Amino acid sequence: MAQPQRDHDVYEYLEPRPHPWRKQLYLRGRNMTVGQLVATINADKMSPEEAADNFDMPLAQIHEALAYFEANRDLVTTELREDRRRLEAKGYAVEPPIVPR
């Protein structure tokens, strides 16, 4: 699995958190990974402005998360697939696909 960028200190709105297998960053102040945010934005076809409004977050936080996603696409996508696999193994139906295109 690819490793995320190690420049956590440059992010104002993202942070690392201990987790048994997730390496991607989380949104500061939220129990949400960048991948979960991006998957929701894609599934609901939201613009960054709509996402900021919907999640009551600063637009800068959305843009920072999207930039992190672009820089760490392989890692985030791999972890989203693993999330999906684990949910499906527990019997949950996951639709629409949670992996961004």
Side-chain angles (χ1 to χ4, degrees):
M1 184 184 300
Q3 293 296 313
Q5 292 180 339
R6 296 289 176 209
D7 52 357
H8 307 314
D9 296 335
V10 302
Y11 295 109
E12 180 178 356
Y13 298 105
L14 306 177
E15 63 186 6
R17 291 196 190 154
H19 190 275
W21 56 268
R22 280 192 191 115
K23 304 296 181 218
Q24 68 181 287
L25 299 182
Y26 285 73
L27 289 105
R28 189 177 308 278
R30 304 289 173 126
N31 188 23
M32 178 184 287
T33 64
V34 168
Q36 291 163 340
L37 175 68
V38 170
T40 301
I41 288 172
N42 288 341
D44 293 342
K45 297 180 173 106
M46 287 187 265
S47 69
E49 293 78 12
E50 290 168 327
D53 226 28
N54 186 53
F55 289 107
D56 193 29
M57 292 181 191
L59 183 57
Q61 186 169 25
I62 302 294
H63 283 296
E64 188 171 272
L66 293 172
Y68 173 84
F69 172 71
E70 287 304 320
N72 297 279
R73 183 181 290 267
D74 290 343
L75 169 71
V76 174
T77 300
T78 297
E79 290 186 6
L80 283 170
R81 286 189 181 118
E82 180 61 14
D83 278 334
R84 181 186 185 109
R85 185 194 68 74
R86 288 171 183 253
L87 287 170
E88 289 174 340
K90 290 180 179 180
Y92 294 100
V94 182
E95 291 188 32
I98 61 174
V99 177
R101 305 274 179 240

